[in-house]
Amino acid sequence: MTLNQQKVLLGITGSIAAYKTCELVRQLRQDGAQVQIVMTEAAKKFVSPMVLEALSGRPAREALFDRSAEMTMSHIELARWADLVLIAPASANCLARLAMGIADDLLSTICLATRAPVMIAPAMNTVMWEHPATQENVATLRRRGVTVLEPEIGEQACGEVGAGRMQEPEDLKEALLSLAVPQDLQGIQALVTAGPTRERIDPARFISNFSTGHMGCATADALLNRGAQVTLVCGPITLDPPEGAQVIHVTCADEMLQAVEQHGRECQLLIAAAAVADWRVRKSSADKIKKKDTPPTLALEPTADLLSAVATWDMRPYLVGFAAETEDLIENARAKLQAKGADLIVANLIGDNFGFGDVDSQLEVVSIDETHSIGPASKSMLARDLVEYIAARLGSPASIIDFNARAQHKNTSAG
Ligand code: CTP
């Protein structure tokens, strides 16, 4: 087990043990984790943000009211981004503030706003650690589900001997693993389609739709997070695809189908989140159609339905489709489940001003036996819960392989 693709938010507070965090960051990164540093003012007196930025590969966050940093990722987004929050070292002051639920700096605010598991590695003078006030704060935090590690016993920077030393980076990494997102999709190859497609009219124009690729990219990210190997086939999007995915860029529905044909055969799981154009222009023009010409009538023809095509493969992956609907959400999703031969259809409502982009949404996951609601929440939270639901339905990786065998049987027996 590793921390591969786990998003670790590392809080650093004011303690001499902060110098050990450089080695901790190095080890977490070596294990494949993405590390976001959040430092308190006092922490900066013990370790340089610049060193930590170089080691983590991301700007360290310090202030709650930093407008430019908040524009990139707000404190709430940071809290949602994290799979794990580790505070190392945690000073006596930090423990007291967290126990009180104070939120007057970035780190304490994130701790209140996150749903991720929080682990704390205390470091302080032994008398401070043993003080009833500190021990009561530790008990309060543990009662609330926070993992407070025991500090090590030994000689301290202040000269005293006793409990209060921060655990070593290697031990902290091991402890984090016990809270990490389960790697239940390890060994699984997944293909995700994302974004819109563009169907050419002439060299300057195309038919497309409002899809931004947010849901597809978030889904790919959530799959990686649970240990899957991911191929992301995406239409034209402006988003950065998630780190760790094999990305194949396509433009039109035909290219998307070809990419799925080429890369999907080896997969055990296929999630079709792309908004594939349903029609293309029968005969696109080699030259630009001029405005002075009479307005053209575009003769359209249907594109191939990618999901339905994969459903007919002899050895097909577990198949998850999406359905963006303006009405009758669940009825339409059920109809698509049947018509396309998918195992799950993930339905969401869209309208003129909602449903597309980086906005909160709600999903209804329809299968033959149940309808499961997820959200409302941000697309990354929805994707996390969706992938957790899919992983639970699939069971262990071994049963996905079984599923393939069953699918093969089903398709050959269907003729
Ligand atoms: N899909 C596909 N190939 C297409 C069109 C859609 O694979 N040519 C997939 C989408 O990726 C999605 C699912 O089918 O997973 C449903 O797409 P949607 O656009 O909601 O449905 P359509 O089949 O296009 O039906 P309609 O537009 O009438 O709702």
Side-chain angles (χ1 to χ4, degrees):
M1 174 111 170
T2 68
L3 288 167
N4 194 28
Q5 296 293 339
Q6 303 285 294
K7 301 184 181 84
V8 179
L9 190 141
L10 176 59
I12 305 174
T13 72
S15 154
I16 180 68
Y19 81 90
K20 291 189 194 171
T21 52
C22 295
E23 175 57 18
L24 175 62
V25 175
R26 204 186 61 77
Q27 289 200 19
L28 295 177
R29 293 270 290 157
Q30 215 166 34
D31 213 36
Q34 297 175 40
V35 181
Q36 173 64 57
I37 305 286
V38 175
M39 307 178 78
T40 62
E41 269 308 303
K44 288 194 286 180
K45 304 217 181 325
F46 296 94
V47 63
S48 145
M50 228 163 75
V51 177
L52 291 163
E53 284 178 350
L55 289 167
S56 68
R58 291 168 173 267
R61 294 287 294 265
E62 301 160 23
L64 181 54
F65 300 109
D66 175 339
R67 274 172 53 207
S68 62
E70 284 283 305
M71 295 277 280
T72 326
M73 204 194 299
S74 75
H75 58 281
I76 298 295
E77 284 170 301
L78 266 179
R80 286 177 178 164
W81 172 88
D83 294 319
L84 301 163
V85 175
L86 170 64
I87 305 182
S91 63
N93 181 44
C94 167
L95 291 175
R97 288 153 44 75
L98 293 185
M100 287 291 291
I102 290 172
D104 64 353
D105 69 1
L106 184 59
L107 184 57
S108 54
T109 307
I110 286 170
C111 287
L112 278 189
T114 192
R115 288 204 180 92
V118 178
M119 178 176 276
I120 292 182
M124 65 198 73
N125 163 278
T126 188
V127 182
M128 290 169 82
W129 170 249
E130 285 164 0
H131 195 286
T134 305
Q135 287 305 310
E136 274 171 35
N137 291 331
V138 169
T140 302
L141 290 167
R142 283 183 175 152
R143 209 171 43 245
R144 288 188 201 139
V146 173
T147 306
V148 184
L149 301 171
E150 287 297 319
E152 285 182 355
I153 299 170
E155 193 177 335
Q156 301 197 292
C158 55
E160 294 205 36
V161 177
R165 286 164 57 103
M166 186 176 85
Q167 290 199 12
E168 292 304 315
E170 217 167 279
D171 300 327
L172 292 179
K173 195 188 79 180
E174 282 304 311
L176 259 193
L177 278 173
S178 66
L179 293 186
V181 178
Q183 298 296 288
D184 46 5
L185 293 181
Q186 210 157 34
I188 294 303
Q189 292 192 41
L191 187 146
V192 180
T193 66
T197 63
R198 286 179 183 173
E199 310 304 322
R200 188 176 181 280
I201 297 173
D202 68 14
R205 304 179 179 94
F206 55 81
I207 300 174
S208 191
N209 57 63
F210 292 114
S211 170
T212 58
H214 272 95
M215 194 63 211
C217 286
T219 305
D221 197 23
L223 289 166
L224 287 162
N225 200 234
R226 290 185 97 91
Q229 260 181 288
V230 178
T231 303
L232 179 67
V233 177
C234 62
I237 56 171
T238 53
L239 285 177
D240 288 334
E243 264 176 54
Q246 182 198 2
V247 184
I248 294 157
H249 292 283
V250 297
T251 305
C252 62
D254 244 17
E255 284 175 18
M256 191 169 273
L257 180 63
Q258 275 173 34
V260 168
E261 284 279 354
Q262 195 182 337
H263 298 274
R265 299 267 178 187
E266 302 298 308
C267 292
Q268 291 86 35
L269 172 62
L270 192 145
I271 303 185
V276 187
D278 290 328
W279 306 284
R280 64 169 162 247
V281 178
R282 181 167 294 155
K283 201 168 174 314
S284 65
S285 172
D287 297 318
K288 189 177 172 203
I289 303 168
K290 300 305 288 179
K291 192 165 60 178
K292 66 175 166 37
D293 297 342
T294 46
T297 303
L298 298 174
L300 303 177
E301 62 184 9
T303 56
D305 193 294
L306 196 147
L307 205 52
S308 309
V310 177
T312 64
W313 290 354
D314 277 352
M315 190 73 171
R316 74 162 177 84
Y318 190 83
L319 213 43
V320 181
F322 274 73
E325 307 289 345
T326 52
E327 57 190 351
D328 303 331
L329 192 61
I330 299 196
E331 292 73 10
N332 278 322
R334 279 211 189 100
K336 280 179 187 168
L337 186 77
Q338 261 235 310
K340 297 187 184 236
D343 299 294
L344 293 179
I345 290 286
V346 184
N348 69 305
L349 271 181
I350 53 157
D352 272 343
N353 293 311
F354 62 95
F356 295 103
D358 189 15
V359 293
D360 284 11
S361 190
Q362 175 154 8
L363 305 178
E364 300 295 338
V365 190
V366 176
S367 59
I368 193 148
D369 56 333
E370 66 173 7
T371 298
H372 173 76
S373 304
I374 303 178
S378 67
K379 295 229 165 130
S380 58
M381 295 299 286
L382 292 176
R384 240 184 251 189
D385 289 357
L386 172 63
V387 168
E388 185 179 5
Y389 179 75
I390 293 171
R393 280 192 77 96
L394 291 173
S396 63
S399 60
I400 300 183
I401 310 301
D402 281 358
F403 172 83
N404 272 337
R406 274 185 278 128
Q408 182 178 25
H409 175 70
K410 191 180 94 184
N411 285 337
T412 45
S413 61

